[in-house]
Amino acid sequence: MATFPLQIVTPDGGFYDGEAERLLVRTTEGNVCILPRHSPYVAALGIGEAAVVIDGQRRRAACAGGMLAVTQNGVRLVATTFEWADSIDLERARLAKERAEAALKNAAEAAETARAEAKLRRALTRIAVAGAK
């Protein structure tokens, strides 16, 4: 099967650097699927599930924020956070969800509400990805 070079980078450093057959990721405008020979493309990443097909195996991940760039030389995903499903601490994600819900209830200003909603979306994404390992 055809592949393309994929680099996934987070603030902690290189996360993945190798060949991939497919990348499905959530952008701020919706989901996008990158296949070999995709046209050049740049998008801001949203909060959601990502899936990468490597050697015929589909790996799920939680991804939040960053940029996606597709060029003739490959694909680079620079994410604020990127966690494979099998690396997610489900209990920690559930606690983060509870804290975000409490912060949302107590938010007094629009900025506080927006931060709490983003935290809640990240926690719910992590729970959904980890729960369906």
Side-chain angles (χ1 to χ4, degrees), residues 21-34:
E21 297 161 23
R22 177 183 305 200
L23 169 67
L24 176 66
V25 68
R26 180 124 183 113
T27 71
T28 56
E29 302 299 316
N31 289 338
V32 64
C33 182
I34 306 298

Side-chain angles (χ1 to χ4, degrees), residues 8-120:
I8 301 173
V9 180
T10 68
D12 295 329
F15 193 84
Y16 176 80
D17 190 358
E19 295 295 309
E21 297 161 23
R22 177 183 305 200
L23 169 67
L24 176 66
V25 68
R26 180 124 183 113
T27 71
T28 56
E29 302 299 316
N31 289 338
V32 64
C33 182
I34 306 298
L35 298 170
R37 295 177 293 285
H38 195 286
S39 61
Y41 179 78
V42 175
L45 295 174
I47 299 171
E49 180 179 334
V52 182
V53 177
I54 303 167
D55 294 329
Q57 299 295 315
R58 184 173 187 261
R59 293 199 67 192
R60 300 174 70 228
C63 180
M67 295 294 296
L68 171 68
V70 180
T71 66
Q72 292 177 355
N73 298 324
V75 177
R76 186 171 179 113
L77 187 148
V78 181
T80 304
T81 62
F82 193 95
E83 296 175 272
W84 294 121
D86 55 9
S87 298
I88 294 172
D89 182 337
L90 191 53
E91 185 58 32
R92 185 171 158 239
R94 287 184 177 132
L95 290 172
K97 174 185 173 276
E98 291 173 11
R99 285 191 306 272
E101 289 171 336
L104 192 55
K105 286 180 186 176
N106 298 322
E109 298 178 9
E112 290 177 31
T113 300
R115 278 192 300 274
E117 287 173 343
K119 288 178 180 181
L120 182 57

